[in-house]
Amino acid sequence: MLRVCLRRSNVIRRIKRIEKRNYVPPKLLLNEEVEQKIGLVGFCVDGNSVIKGASKAPPLVRKALWAHTNSLYTETGLNLGHQNYPIFLNMGDIEEIPQPEARFRIINSAVTSILNGKRVPLAIGGDQSITYPIIHGIRSHLNKNEVPIHVLHFDSSPDLHRNIGNNKYSNVSSFARIMEDDLVTSLVQIGTRVKSKELEDQINKYNVKSIDMKFYNHFDTLEKLRNNHYFPRSEPVYITLDISVLDPAYAPGVSRPIPGGLSTRQLLDIIHSINNPIIAADIVEFNPLMDVNSLTANVVAKLLKEICGMIILTNSQSEKKNNL
């Protein structure tokens, strides 16, 4: 028994040494250093989804974010509730629009308005279909400068279906449309665990870097993000986070819960390891109708908070480098 305990103790010490060597804590950022604000907008839409419920998410995420039981400090040291140094421009929530084309135009217009105000768009979905008009709006806004846009997509599925139900704007076809329209420079997907022959063909066709959970190596992924292995240094990155990337044990409130996903801590580590300026972000596919005791709502609020911190941090670092 003593030998077994000693062996187990040695293993635990080795694991702790590995974690200490590989884990790099996020840099702290004081509110006084923040110059760039974030345009926070909710899109209460799920008309392009087969399973409904995601349209109810934005107000519940806001409620969880501002709940008195939750801290408004991020792990990067930013106080989202600081009265003298506000981070958000609250754009409110846009309700469901029945017509897909009109929905596309309204989302596109809302994002363009935030960009014209020189703010970073941060969207709460809604389903994944909002990502296509958001990125379309960003590309239109930046086209004159020919700025590259890289996408970091967290999801259980690649969302690259060519055609689902003859709905061009389907939530599971968002990235097929984005890649067809040549809106982004590169696409990296983390956490996928649903693949078909069609999706594999699409991944190969568009040269998507797909990091499946089956082969996921946490510390290797963190190191590659920090060292700009996935995206060239200083080039902007768009983050789109489908909450189904998490294992259902951490986020049961999704339309299609698929076991074998990331843990909340792993996802936070990845977000904190991003080393490129974050140009915009969305969090999608939280379905409150499937949630248990507001567990997923609180997880989404936490992720939203940490993405805010990294938007401010990565853009501040990029501005300092450009001023050198």
Side-chain angles (χ1 to χ4, degrees):
M1 176 65 75
L2 178 61
R3 188 176 299 171
V4 171
C5 290
L6 288 172
R7 193 176 301 145
R8 183 180 300 169
S9 177
N10 289 335
V11 170
I12 291 172
R13 280 199 294 269
R14 282 200 297 272
I15 290 172
K16 287 183 176 179
R17 283 199 299 270
I18 292 170
E19 289 179 343
K20 187 175 180 181
R21 186 172 66 246
N22 285 280
Y23 178 67
V24 178
K27 295 180 180 178
L28 294 179
L29 183 68
L30 300 176
N31 277 66
E32 288 82 350
E33 300 176 34
V34 174
E35 297 178 358
Q36 190 166 13
K37 294 184 178 68
I38 295 167
L40 181 66
V41 59
F43 295 113
C44 302
V45 301
D46 60 11
N48 290 311
S49 299
V50 174
I51 301 174
K52 307 301 182 187
S55 63
K56 302 181 184 300
L60 295 179
V61 173
R62 291 177 187 274
K63 181 180 178 181
L65 179 66
W66 300 108
H68 71 279
T69 51
N70 288 336
S71 170
L72 285 170
Y73 276 90
T74 70
E75 294 183 18
T76 52
L78 203 62
N79 181 5
L80 301 183
H82 200 303
Q83 293 182 350
N84 296 328
Y85 302 96
I87 304 302
F88 295 121
L89 173 65
N90 189 356
M91 307 288 288
D93 295 335
I94 295 175
E95 297 301 320
E96 178 68 277
I97 305 104
Q99 298 80 13
E101 291 80 9
R103 187 185 303 126
F104 184 97
R105 290 194 302 271
I106 289 171
I107 294 173
N108 191 298
S109 176
V111 170
T112 301
S113 174
I114 294 171
L115 292 167
N116 287 339
K118 297 184 178 179
R119 295 181 176 90
V120 176
L122 176 55
I124 310 170
D127 64 24
Q128 186 79 71
S129 68
I130 71 171
T131 306
Y132 177 32
I134 291 174
I135 290 181
H136 191 281
I138 294 170
R139 171 47 67 207
S140 298
H141 182 80
L142 297 176
N143 193 46
K144 56 189 176 185
N145 300 323
E146 296 183 352
V147 176
I149 301 174
H150 303 278
V151 176
L152 180 57
H153 177 205
F154 299 96
D155 205 334
S156 60
S157 173
D159 290 343
L160 279 160
H161 289 282
R162 297 186 191 93
N163 186 352
I164 296 292
N166 291 322
N167 180 5
K168 175 183 177 181
Y169 301 102
S170 169
N171 63 322
V172 295
S173 298
S174 292
F175 283 96
R177 304 291 88 82
I178 288 166
M179 302 310 284
E180 288 167 2
D181 292 353
D182 198 24
L183 298 178
V184 301
T185 309
S186 71
L187 172 60
V188 174
Q189 297 182 324
I190 296 178
T192 49
R193 48 199 188 273
V194 177
K195 291 284 182 69
S196 65
K197 178 63 167 58
E198 179 206 359
L199 292 173
E200 289 284 3
D201 290 344
Q202 289 282 83
I203 286 168
N204 293 330
K205 177 180 179 180
Y206 294 112
N207 197 27
V208 176
K209 174 62 178 175
S210 180
I211 304 172
D212 295 348
M213 283 307 300
K214 184 178 180 180
F215 306 107
Y216 180 72
N217 182 312
H218 188 55
F219 292 123
D220 180 65
T221 300
L222 301 185
E223 184 177 354
K224 286 179 176 177
L225 276 169
R226 296 187 195 111
N227 295 324
N228 298 100
H229 176 83
Y230 298 127
F231 312 114
R233 186 177 298 276
S234 300
E235 293 190 0
V237 169
Y238 180 95
I239 297 176
T240 175
L241 199 168
D242 181 327
I243 201 67
S244 72
V245 72
L246 292 173
D247 191 276
Y250 302 94
V254 296
S255 297
R256 292 185 175 88
I258 301 172
L262 292 170
S263 71
T264 305
R265 186 70 258 169
Q266 284 177 319
L267 182 51
L268 288 168
D269 287 349
I270 298 170
I271 291 169
H272 289 148
S273 296
I274 295 169
N275 198 27
N276 292 70
I278 299 171
I279 196 170
D282 67 56
I283 300 183
V284 297
E285 297 292 351
F286 164 40
N287 186 341
L289 301 181
M290 305 289 285
D291 205 6
V292 178
N293 296 327
S294 300
L295 174 61
T296 312
N298 285 311
V299 170
V300 174
K302 168 67 173 175
L303 294 168
L304 179 76
K305 192 165 54 175
E306 296 306 322
I307 288 174
C308 283
M310 290 306 294
I311 287 173
I312 300 298
L313 181 61
T314 57
N315 282 282
S316 297
Q317 289 175 339
S318 179
E319 288 173 7
K320 287 178 182 177
K321 287 177 184 177
N322 292 334
N323 292 330
L324 291 178

